[in-house]
Amino acid sequence: MFEKILIANRGEIALRVIRACREMGIKSVAVHSTADADAMHVRMADESVCIGPAPSSESYLSKAAIISACEITGAQAVHPGYGFLSENASFAQALEDHGITFIGPSAEHIRIMGDKITAKETAKALGIPVVPGSDGGVADFETAIGVAEGIGFPVIIKATAGGGGRGMKVAKTPEELEIAFRTARAEAKAAFGNDEVYIEKYLQKPRHIEIQVFGDGKGGAVHLGERDCSLQRRHQKVFEEAPGPAITPKMRSEIGAICANAMSKIAYIGAGTVEFLYEDGNFYFIEMNTRLQVEHPVTEFIFGVDLVREQIRVASGMALSFTQDDLEINGHAIEVRINAEKLPNFAPCPGKVRTFHAPGGLGVRMDSALYGGYSIPPYYDSLIGKLIVHGRDRPEALSRLRRALGELIVDGVDTTVPLFHALLAEPDIQNGDYNIHWLEKWLAQQF
Ligand code: ADP
């Protein structure tokens, strides 16, 4: 087992990894930008290293600075968290070249899944059902119109290199397609430096259902059921739950087995998430994330496992500490993402937190790096905490969430807490009756 792990991240996820390290008797190293000198992850880690100025391009994304920090501190492995360098194949490769373990999949698997067209082709070859669409990239409008007419309108144009919900355009008619095709390519070029796009059937009322998978790198792989992450704003998740209200045990074990088998065939190592759109009983693969996800705690709650601990174990060459048969769902869990944002426009709202009080009690988990007196810097993501609750069933989880939200105090900055109070009062949310378009439609009516 490793003696020392460096965490190449900040905020709540850095704390999450430090906590797992401490429970496993592993020393932790925090890295930080100059803007984060007072951050909680720096205080909580055993050691810390400043790796550069505030902009993440010069600190949290600086491979050379992070590798130097490993050399200086003698860290044997790096946990990348999510975002930043967590899905950067050349970073995983560079670490390996320096004899440092990347706590995550191989550079090759990151590369395959990082390119959405290759990911889709790979998924298809591994027996995973995919969204109907173009075979690979579409370079000109004539081809685009041919594909769209073949699968039928509406269609969605997506950037091969896309991520974070960016670079997607919907077209309902050939006229719209012409404009959408051109703007999608231009936006993709500007955002990702790659103008390749592909076309998919645009599903009208799907749910976003994702399967948590875990591989031991030796051909052993399991699935840990699904999360329903359909409540999204601008293709970004805001509320996630497990198990999915629309998924039956039979569907779960079928799609779960397909995903676990696929991971076993490629000898995948570590945590991964296979994302699907789900409509009328069918699953359609959209992409795979080769890292720990923001919403992993809902899965941890219902299965009673520590996913970060498992990531560290398999990265060090140990076996998974559970088999598929050991994994049994217990109750229901919900996560809400608390962002420092001002409603109704969700404008980022950094600033000084005067008071912070985290909710507690049975079945409540608050993952946050806030503390009273902390100044949220303007340079990074607006996520300031995740409130996760667990109940014996969905109604209990919902009332626990309502109760816990009422206890939470974040004084000094605006947050998305009022959004969740309002959502919990909605019958559709109480009934689990929503799809990926529900939240946008509801928001448009509210404000
Ligand atoms: P990103 O990597 O940018 O997050 P994804 O491919 O994961 O992009 O898609 C993000 C979200 O966009 C999905 O959860 C869904 O809400 C929407 N979306 C993606 N593909 C389709 C599709 N074919 N039809 C309808 N909605 C889609």
Side-chain angles (χ1 to χ4, degrees), residues 241-309:
E241 61 181 313
I247 305 301
T248 64
K250 185 165 175 282
M251 292 192 292
R252 174 176 310 119
S253 56
E254 282 172 11
I255 194 70
I258 289 172
C259 294
N261 287 338
M263 294 307 113
S264 156
K265 277 186 212 158
I266 60 171
Y268 187 81
I269 183 160
T273 299
V274 188
E275 296 194 335
F276 294 94
L277 293 177
Y278 169 83
E279 192 172 79
D280 299 330
N282 297 307
F283 288 91
Y284 304 96
F285 172 88
I286 46 172
E287 67 164 344
M288 176 168 180
N289 292 317
T290 51
R291 54 166 163 85
L292 188 73
Q293 307 244 138
V294 174
E295 59 273 23
H296 75 277
V298 293
T299 301
E300 295 188 320
F301 250 150
I302 63 167
F303 286 102
V305 300
D306 179 337
L307 291 175
V308 176
R309 176 170 180 268

Side-chain angles (χ1 to χ4, degrees), residues 47-166:
E47 286 172 69
S48 67
V49 181
C50 180
I51 51 165
S56 27
S57 58
E58 294 169 56
S59 49
Y60 297 105
L61 289 171
S62 169
K63 296 168 197 165
I66 293 167
I67 292 170
S68 304
C70 289
E71 308 262 324
I72 292 164
T73 56
Q76 300 144 316
V78 170
H79 194 300
Y82 51 69
F84 294 131
L85 294 169
S86 62
E87 291 179 289
N88 188 306
S90 68
F91 178 59
Q93 189 60 56
L95 286 176
E96 195 186 306
D97 295 345
H98 283 80
I100 302 161
T101 304
F102 177 72
I103 302 176
S106 66
E108 184 56 15
H109 288 157
I110 298 173
R111 200 171 292 120
I112 291 171
M113 296 302 172
D115 173 296
K116 292 189 169 206
I117 290 178
T118 315
K120 223 173 143 177
E121 279 165 3
T122 308
K124 214 166 157 181
L126 289 169
I128 297 175
V130 302
V131 189
S134 57
D135 282 324
V138 177
D140 57 83
F141 179 64
E142 276 63 50
T143 316
I145 198 89
V147 171
E149 277 166 353
I151 54 179
F153 282 95
V155 296
I156 184 166
I157 303 166
K158 297 168 84 168
T160 309
R166 288 178 305 160

Side-chain angles (χ1 to χ4, degrees), residues 9 29 133 142 157-158 325 365:
N9 217 302
V29 180
E142 276 63 50
I157 303 166
K158 297 168 84 168
D325 289 340
R365 167 173 169 184

Side-chain angles (χ1 to χ4, degrees), residues 7-16 18-19 22 28-52 60 368-371 374 377 380:
I7 298 116
N9 217 302
R10 62 183 301 283
E12 68 86 18
I13 195 61
L15 263 54
R16 171 70 189 86
I18 293 169
R19 286 175 171 140
R22 193 146 292 152
S28 56
V29 180
V31 292
H32 66 92
S33 69
T34 49
D36 272 343
D38 294 330
M40 189 56 118
H41 74 284
V42 175
R43 297 184 177 191
M44 229 167 99
D46 294 305
E47 286 172 69
S48 67
V49 181
C50 180
I51 51 165
Y60 297 105
S368 171
L370 286 193
Y371 58 86
Y374 174 65
Y380 314 106

Side-chain angles (χ1 to χ4, degrees), residues 263-446:
M263 294 307 113
S264 156
K265 277 186 212 158
I266 60 171
Y268 187 81
I269 183 160
T273 299
V274 188
E275 296 194 335
F276 294 94
L277 293 177
Y278 169 83
E279 192 172 79
D280 299 330
N282 297 307
F283 288 91
Y284 304 96
F285 172 88
I286 46 172
E287 67 164 344
M288 176 168 180
N289 292 317
T290 51
R291 54 166 163 85
L292 188 73
Q293 307 244 138
V294 174
E295 59 273 23
H296 75 277
V298 293
T299 301
E300 295 188 320
F301 250 150
I302 63 167
F303 286 102
V305 300
D306 179 337
L307 291 175
V308 176
R309 176 170 180 268
E310 295 304 319
Q311 287 187 297
I312 296 170
R313 281 177 63 99
V314 298
S316 79
M318 290 171 78
L320 277 172
S321 65
F322 43 75
T323 65
Q324 190 69 59
D325 289 340
D326 297 331
L327 293 167
E328 230 178 283
I329 295 180
N330 171 20
H332 197 95
I334 304 176
E335 170 180 285
V336 293
R337 297 194 191 191
I338 317 262
N339 292 346
E341 288 171 353
K342 195 173 171 61
L343 301 173
N345 300 321
F346 296 85
C349 191
K352 190 161 180 152
V353 176
R354 278 197 303 270
T355 313
F356 172 64
H357 175 78
L362 182 64
V364 175
R365 167 173 169 184
M366 181 85 200
D367 280 18
S368 171
L370 286 193
Y371 58 86
Y374 174 65
S375 281
I376 302 166
Y379 309 101
Y380 314 106
D381 197 88
S382 58
L383 182 82
I384 51 167
K386 308 184 312 204
L387 172 57
I388 314 104
V389 296
H390 184 225
R392 283 169 300 180
D393 51 22
R394 194 169 183 276
E396 188 172 85
L398 285 168
S399 50
R400 189 155 285 156
L401 178 58
R402 196 173 296 112
R403 186 272 289 171
L405 279 167
E407 285 178 25
L408 173 63
I409 299 170
V410 182
D411 211 9
V413 296
D414 282 290
T415 73
T416 46
V417 167
L419 168 73
F420 299 116
H421 279 299
L423 280 179
L424 285 172
E426 287 295 323
D428 284 349
I429 301 302
Q430 287 161 9
N431 300 328
D433 191 8
Y434 55 79
N435 59 44
I436 60 165
H437 305 301
W438 191 95
L439 183 61
E440 294 275 9
K441 280 189 200 144
W442 181 82
L443 284 169
Q445 286 159 8
Q446 301 300 302

